């Protein structure tokens, strides 16, 4: 019998499956186990035996992700050093920014690639680090400056809290408590998105092939909706005569930007306490369309509102998660599987810097 047991329950004479291992980044490896004569279900249960078998210089490594191929011929396990702290402590906005304007830094080795992903959904209860995480992404976009082609950064705070207090460019409720100014800003963002797309269409016609937003010098445009559920509850369900101020208009704008904006470099960033699809929560269509999903201080019941249970199988659910800890996925071809990340620690006055960069952006 094998020295470390027989997790596949093989009998004498049965062949071991083919195993391949290759590095996939600093401190990370992918181990692929081909099914062969072994049932795929048995191979899928190898995560724990693999983790416990890693010794010596790999004793701090463990399986963090598991993925079966579509034909169920093999299973790939991602193994990484789970004891290494890859988080970023930023003492200034410069510590956050990458040279590539199409990527947003999350932690060492993890970036959100805006060329292959779309709008972002940030979930988490109060004091989970959700707002600080959103600010860390917005600061990176503001630091790039405007492109002259509608690369606006629109921040909406319906609760008149810290965000709306930090700068006059943050949009909040009207004096009478309505959200008409917010709806107008959303319309302006959608119109700028349309103009950007038209410009790209003209460039594509001249070029004879598709032209992408980053190839013509566009910079990302972001519409950040803080406290989405609170904002949505403000709009009346029905509009008055000759007026479009209602929930349907709000929902229609969000759906349009989320589903069509990425090709023009225009993205929605939604902050929500819980990804519930119940009345007043996040519409299921939006939840599916948001290609980058982040859950701060995650719990398994909350995570199941965002991801299939199978994708959560190898995540550490017994760990005590702190502020800034999150589970993360993005359909960028690199982070499609759910993984653990820690968003940057901002040791500088984040709200003050946000206000300063907003002023510079809109000079």
């Amino acid at each position: 019998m094998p020295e470390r047991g027989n997790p596949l329950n093989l009998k004498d004479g049965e062949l071991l499956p083919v195993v391949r291992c290759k590095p996939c980044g600093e401190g990370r490896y992918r181990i692929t186990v081909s099914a062969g004569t072994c049932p795929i279900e048995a191979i899928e249960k190898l995560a724990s035996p693999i983790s416990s078998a890693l010794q010596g210089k790999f004793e701090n490594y463990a399986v963090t992700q598991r993925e079966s191929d579509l034909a169920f011929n093999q299973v790939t396990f991602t193994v990484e050093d789970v004891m290494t702290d890859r988080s970023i402590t930023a003492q200034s906005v410069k510590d956050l920014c990458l040279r590539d304007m199409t990527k947003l830094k999350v932690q060492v080795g993890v970036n959100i690639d805006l060329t292959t992903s779309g709008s972002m959904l940030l979930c988490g209860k109060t004091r989970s680090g959700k707002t600080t995480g959103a600010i860390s992404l917005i600061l990176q976009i503001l630091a790039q400056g405007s492109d002259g082609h509608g690369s606006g950064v629109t921040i909406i705070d319906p609760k008149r809290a810290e965000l709306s207090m930090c700068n006059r460019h943050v949009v909040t409720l009207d004096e009478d408590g309505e959200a008409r100014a917010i709806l107008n800003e959303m319309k302006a963002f959608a119109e700028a998105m349309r103009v950007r797309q038209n410009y790209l269409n003209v460039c594509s016609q001249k070029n004879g092939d598709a032209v992408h937003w980053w190839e013509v010098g566009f910079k990302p445009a972001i519409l950040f909706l803080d406290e989405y559920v609170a904002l949505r509850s403000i709009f009346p369900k029905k509009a008055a005569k000759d007026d479009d101020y209602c929930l349907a208009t709000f929902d229609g704008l969000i759906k349009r930007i989320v589903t069509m904006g990425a090709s023009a470099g225009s993205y929605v960033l939604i902050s929500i306490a819980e990804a519930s699809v119940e009345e007043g929560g996040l519409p299921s269509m939006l939840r599916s369309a948001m290609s980058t999903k982040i859950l701060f201080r995650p719990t398994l019941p909350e995570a199941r509102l965002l991801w299939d249970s199978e994708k959560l199988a190898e995540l550490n659910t017994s760990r005590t998660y702190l502020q800034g800890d999150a589970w993360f996925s993005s359909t960028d071809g690199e982070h499609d599987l759910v993984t653990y990340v820690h968003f940057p620690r901002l040791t500088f006055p984040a709200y003050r810097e946000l206000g300063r960069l907003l002023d510079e952006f809109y000079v």
Side-chain angles (χ1 to χ4, degrees):
M1 297 297 287
E3 180 183 352
R4 299 190 182 277
N6 184 19
L8 290 176
N9 297 314
L10 295 174
K11 299 177 181 178
D12 288 340
E14 291 184 332
L15 296 176
L16 289 169
V18 177
V19 179
R20 297 184 300 276
C21 179
K22 66 176 183 179
C24 60
E26 185 177 352
R28 300 181 79 210
Y29 297 87
R30 284 198 175 97
I31 298 174
T32 301
V33 183
S34 298
T37 58
C38 297
I40 195 73
E41 294 80 9
I43 295 176
E44 289 177 333
K45 297 177 181 179
L46 287 178
S48 294
I50 291 173
S51 296
S52 61
L54 297 170
Q55 302 292 328
K57 69 176 183 179
F58 295 108
E59 65 180 354
N60 291 333
Y61 284 67
V63 173
T64 58
Q65 296 174 341
R66 182 199 71 197
E67 183 178 25
S68 303
D69 72 325
L70 292 176
F72 292 99
N73 291 323
Q74 61 186 26
V75 182
T76 299
F77 301 91
T78 299
V79 176
E80 58 185 308
D81 186 345
V82 294
M83 301 303 291
T84 298
D85 183 7
R86 295 184 174 85
S87 62
I88 300 165
T89 298
Q91 299 179 352
S92 69
V93 176
K94 289 183 180 180
D95 293 337
L96 294 172
C97 298
L98 298 165
R99 291 186 178 181
D100 189 342
M101 67 178 184
T102 67
K103 291 182 172 63
L104 304 178
K105 185 186 292 186
V106 175
Q107 68 174 27
V108 175
V110 178
N111 306 312
I112 297 174
D113 188 345
L114 296 177
T115 68
T116 52
S117 59
S119 291
M120 292 162 268
L121 177 63
L122 279 68
C123 303
K125 299 290 196 300
T126 303
R127 304 300 178 190
S128 65
K130 180 175 76 249
T131 301
T132 301
I135 290 175
S136 72
L137 300 177
I138 294 169
L139 287 173
Q140 295 179 58
I141 294 174
L142 284 171
Q144 299 178 18
S146 176
D147 61 10
H149 289 277
S151 61
V153 176
T154 302
I155 300 175
I156 293 175
D157 174 18
K159 300 185 78 172
R160 291 176 175 163
E162 294 92 343
L163 282 172
S164 58
M165 295 297 103
C166 79
N167 190 273
R168 59 192 173 87
H169 294 293
V170 176
V171 188
T172 188
L173 299 181
D174 308 333
E175 290 298 324
D176 59 4
E178 291 195 333
R180 291 183 181 275
I182 290 175
L183 197 64
N184 288 337
E185 287 294 330
M186 292 172 60
K187 290 177 181 177
F189 188 92
E191 175 60 18
M193 179 189 79
R194 185 191 66 80
V195 173
R196 284 160 68 92
Q197 187 62 62
N198 285 346
Y199 182 88
L200 290 172
N201 292 343
V202 171
C203 291
S204 297
Q205 289 177 345
K206 291 181 179 179
N207 190 55
D209 199 0
V211 174
H212 303 102
W213 60 267
W214 59 90
E215 295 171 336
V216 297
F218 280 11
K219 295 178 181 178
I222 285 285
L223 171 64
F224 173 44
L225 301 177
D226 193 27
E227 300 296 342
Y228 169 85
V229 173
L231 174 57
R232 195 168 182 267
S233 68
I234 293 168
F235 291 95
K237 291 188 176 181
K238 292 184 179 180
K241 186 177 180 180
D242 299 326
D243 192 358
D244 65 352
Y245 177 70
C246 65
L247 184 59
T249 304
F250 171 80
D251 285 344
L253 285 167
I254 294 297
K255 291 176 183 178
R256 177 184 168 195
I257 299 169
V258 167
T259 56
M260 301 174 63
S263 62
S266 301
Y267 304 90
V268 177
L269 200 166
I270 288 180
S271 170
I272 189 170
E274 184 178 283
S276 171
V277 295
E278 297 176 1
E279 182 68 23
L282 185 74
S284 57
M285 188 282 293
L286 277 184
R287 186 185 61 173
S288 300
M290 308 291 280
S291 65
T292 296
K293 298 182 176 71
I294 305 158
L295 176 60
F296 288 85
R297 294 193 75 171
T299 64
L300 195 56
E302 291 176 301
R304 286 171 175 154
L305 295 172
L306 295 175
W307 298 285
D308 294 337
S309 295
E310 184 179 346
K311 293 185 177 181
L312 306 170
E314 306 309 326
L315 290 167
N316 187 348
T317 57
S318 62
R319 175 176 180 169
T320 300
Y321 290 101
L322 304 176
Q323 192 174 55
D325 290 336
W327 288 348
F328 161 85
S329 72
S330 183
T331 56
D332 57 5
E334 185 177 354
H335 304 106
D336 298 82
L337 298 177
V338 185
T339 188
Y340 163 81
V341 295
H342 186 92
F343 269 69
R345 300 178 182 90
L346 309 182
T347 61
F348 56 89
Y351 285 92
R352 186 175 71 190
E353 282 299 285
L354 181 64
R356 181 182 68 82
L357 287 173
L358 279 169
D359 283 336
E360 291 183 1
F361 192 91
Y362 286 108
V363 167

